[in-house]
Amino acid sequence: MQTDRSLLLKLYAVDTVVVTVVLGPMLRSLGGGRYLLYRDAVSTPRSYVTDTALGIGGAPARAVPQDWLLGVLSPVVDGGIVVVALLGVGLVLAGVGFGRLAARVVPAAGHAGACFAAIVSVWNPFVAERLLQGHWSLLVSYGALGWVIVAVLDRPDGFRDWLMLAALFAWAGFTPSGSILGGVVAVAAMVASGSSGRRYARLASTWVVGALPWLVASLLGGATTTSSGVGVEAFGIRSEPWLGLPGTAAGLGGIWNADAVPGSRTVWWAAVATAAFVLVVAIGGIELWRNHRDSYTWKCFAGCAAVALMAVAAAATGPGEAVLTWLVETVPGAGLLRDTHKYVALAVPFYAIAACAAIGVFTRWVPAAFAVATGVLLVVAPLPDLGWGVGGSIRTVALPDSFRQAAQVITADHGVVAIYPPGQIRRYSFTGTPSLNPLPRMLRAPVADGGALTVDGVAVDESSGRGAEVEAALRDGGDQDRLAGLGVGWVVVEGGDIPRELRKLTPAMTSAELTVFRIPGDIAPGGASAGARAAAWAAHLLWLAALLSGVVVLARRDQRVRSTDAG
């Protein structure tokens, strides 16, 4: 037990250093009134639990339960601190979880092998590109995968064990995509442990607890549960120089947005870096085949990696796009599969195990420290621009005072808020990078959102529901009676292009960036029903209870371990 504790301490220490190097600019600005506003990453001083945050505002539940949790925590701790802290903790735990998995499968590689596996699971193109896309919450979910695998391999038996697994699924379920990833690796671990059908049924029910917030939101939120097939091509992986689709996927790169790529991955150097990365995995794979052939665990995750990488590459070809298009247009919830690059994360468990085994090979010729240094040279050095906010690209910014003023002016008792011009993406002068609009997360009233999504000027998802009607009313001039009939009590206009009918009103607030109008008169009832709101709250509270119960179980287990060691 003392050896296990020693390994854990080393894993935490190594990954804390690695994550500090990666997130440096964000960590340096914590508590300084600066916030993350970079592509899909948004943090604000204060968020509120609105229908939108609960995922029942009429738009697809893409940010559930993360927005609800921020709405709960930010009144106590500044939202900018919460987001960066969750991201940092998630990445540290990702390394520790995959390091524990590697140590379990290849114990002969020692602590050096486990620590190198932890480094590989954090310092890789998948993490770099998701950071550049602003998918901080997906990386929080990613942090649970190694822990989920180890918990399933331990063959949970008893209430506490299943409660701990429910907590891990809740952690993975911080985003809908993370929930899918957690479910897949759990099934792979079940196969590896030779579990029975009854245990699969228990696993499924436990997984549902962790996925409840977005499942309930999808059922009751009013948004369509299928997606447009147009997004399949837009979100397919992008081939990197000299690598082709299979090579790009094998290197864990290829995110659909060419602007969310480290500079070193945009030129021929990407092929060199991928070759070095795959070489480490190949050396470890050969070692596993030669000396750990009886282990079914690594074989299952090797199969999982192979299937995932081939599927991701195939989905970007003509036949693959046709199949995926049919799925997302026909099967409810299959839109989660459109961004296929997310699923290269399913290769990381095997890559971590193989990296650990590779260090075991190196230590036959050189001391452990030199072996790890060799591995770092092959994996970290070819991707130098992951460090310090992915080459300084990701920095926090100071939000204009007008955003805070608008949040104070707009009340929660006068209908929903409409923002003009419509659309979620903005390019602010104070950021220099396209980003989501932070204002909807700062307001006490829910924001009418049609759920439209545009990629490179192509409408991937069209607006629908009441949000689409509100957008049409604003484009047609912003008739006050029409807006009031749609439940709109406030209109926020960004910039100087004010709809003609709204010019007749006296603004409730004006600034260089924003103009806020209060629609007079009676506002039609709007928003989600009381029943939908109660169900969404119940789902989120059950999710949080599952998450916190895992912390309690882990704390008690650690206390028993300490007592045993002391005895």
Side-chain angles (χ1 to χ4, degrees), residues 308-478:
L309 297 179
M310 286 190 293
V312 166
T317 65
E321 288 180 356
V323 172
L324 193 52
T325 297
W326 177 84
L327 280 173
V328 302
E329 291 181 344
T330 307
V331 180
L336 288 171
L337 303 178
R338 290 189 302 185
D339 186 356
T340 53
H341 176 258
K342 290 178 181 178
Y343 298 96
V344 303
L346 295 173
V348 175
F350 174 68
Y351 279 25
I353 294 169
C356 180
I359 294 301
V361 174
F362 297 159
T363 53
R364 293 173 189 164
W365 295 292
V366 296
F370 287 99
V372 173
T374 301
V376 168
L377 185 65
L378 289 170
V379 172
V380 176
L383 188 60
D385 39 0
L386 173 53
W388 207 246
V390 195
S393 299
I394 305 176
R395 299 177 299 274
T396 52
V397 300
L399 296 174
D401 289 338
S402 57
F403 284 67
R404 294 182 175 86
Q405 293 169 10
Q408 293 173 353
V409 168
I410 295 174
T411 62
D413 58 356
H414 190 66
V416 302
V417 181
I419 298 180
Y420 186 83
Q424 301 179 13
I425 305 300
R426 297 289 190 265
R427 186 182 287 272
Y428 297 111
S429 59
F430 55 89
T431 63
T433 304
S435 69
L436 291 176
N437 189 342
L439 195 57
R441 289 168 171 79
M442 299 178 68
L443 302 179
R444 285 169 282 184
V447 174
D449 183 7
L453 185 62
T454 302
V455 177
D456 293 334
V458 178
V460 172
D461 290 328
E462 300 286 351
S463 290
S464 61
R466 183 181 62 174
E469 297 180 51
V470 171
E471 292 172 8
L474 290 172
R475 290 194 182 97
D476 291 343

Side-chain angles (χ1 to χ4, degrees), residues 61-453:
R62 298 186 179 114
V64 173
Q66 68 178 68
D67 282 355
W68 174 85
L69 185 63
L70 292 176
V72 170
L73 294 179
S74 61
V76 181
V77 182
D78 184 275
I81 296 175
V82 172
V83 167
V84 176
L86 286 173
L87 173 59
V89 170
L91 285 177
V92 168
L93 292 175
V96 174
F98 286 118
R100 290 177 67 222
L101 170 63
R104 179 191 183 104
V105 180
V106 197
H111 291 189
C115 288
F116 181 62
I119 293 171
V120 167
S121 64
V122 174
W123 201 286
N124 61 62
F126 170 79
V127 171
E129 293 177 2
R130 288 296 151 180
L131 280 173
L132 285 175
Q133 186 56 36
H135 286 176
W136 68 273
S137 52
L138 177 64
L139 292 174
V140 173
S141 294
Y142 171 74
L145 301 186
W147 296 79
V148 167
I149 295 169
V150 172
V152 175
L153 291 177
D154 283 341
R155 298 179 64 85
D157 183 22
F159 178 74
R160 288 184 178 179
D161 289 344
W162 286 103
L163 194 61
M164 187 67 203
L165 188 57
L168 294 173
F169 279 138
W171 172 12
F174 196 67
T175 61
S177 297
S179 196
I180 300 298
L181 292 171
V184 172
V185 298
V187 170
M190 289 286 277
V191 173
S193 62
S195 297
S196 63
R198 182 178 298 179
R199 294 176 69 83
Y200 280 100
R202 288 184 180 178
L203 183 79
S205 59
T206 306
W207 176 86
V208 166
V209 173
L212 267 180
W214 63 270
L215 289 176
V216 170
S218 299
L219 290 172
L220 303 179
T224 178
T225 56
T226 56
S227 303
S228 168
V230 176
V232 170
E233 182 178 0
F235 286 122
I237 70 164
R238 172 196 43 79
S239 180
E240 293 181 334
W242 295 15
L243 287 172
L245 293 174
T248 301
L252 306 185
I255 192 171
W256 56 271
N257 186 358
D259 294 329
V261 180
S264 64
R265 307 291 299 187
T266 62
V267 294
W268 60 269
W269 183 254
V272 176
T274 298
F277 190 43
V278 173
L279 176 62
V280 171
V281 176
I283 292 172
I286 293 171
E287 169 67 9
L288 290 169
W289 181 254
R290 286 181 174 177
N291 297 310
H292 299 272
R293 196 172 299 184
D294 294 336
S295 172
Y296 198 44
T297 300
W298 73 261
K299 292 178 183 178
C300 282
F301 284 103
C304 181
V307 170
L309 297 179
M310 286 190 293
V312 166
T317 65
E321 288 180 356
V323 172
L324 193 52
T325 297
W326 177 84
L327 280 173
V328 302
E329 291 181 344
T330 307
V331 180
L336 288 171
L337 303 178
R338 290 189 302 185
D339 186 356
T340 53
H341 176 258
K342 290 178 181 178
Y343 298 96
V344 303
L346 295 173
V348 175
F350 174 68
Y351 279 25
I353 294 169
C356 180
I359 294 301
V361 174
F362 297 159
T363 53
R364 293 173 189 164
W365 295 292
V366 296
F370 287 99
V372 173
T374 301
V376 168
L377 185 65
L378 289 170
V379 172
V380 176
L383 188 60
D385 39 0
L386 173 53
W388 207 246
V390 195
S393 299
I394 305 176
R395 299 177 299 274
T396 52
V397 300
L399 296 174
D401 289 338
S402 57
F403 284 67
R404 294 182 175 86
Q405 293 169 10
Q408 293 173 353
V409 168
I410 295 174
T411 62
D413 58 356
H414 190 66
V416 302
V417 181
I419 298 180
Y420 186 83
Q424 301 179 13
I425 305 300
R426 297 289 190 265
R427 186 182 287 272
Y428 297 111
S429 59
F430 55 89
T431 63
T433 304
S435 69
L436 291 176
N437 189 342
L439 195 57
R441 289 168 171 79
M442 299 178 68
L443 302 179
R444 285 169 282 184
V447 174
D449 183 7
L453 185 62

Side-chain angles (χ1 to χ4, degrees), residues 551-566:
V551 175
V552 173
V553 170
L554 195 62
R556 289 185 175 179
R557 184 179 298 173
D558 184 68
Q559 186 178 19
R560 288 198 303 270
V561 169
R562 288 177 182 271
S563 299
T564 302
D565 289 346

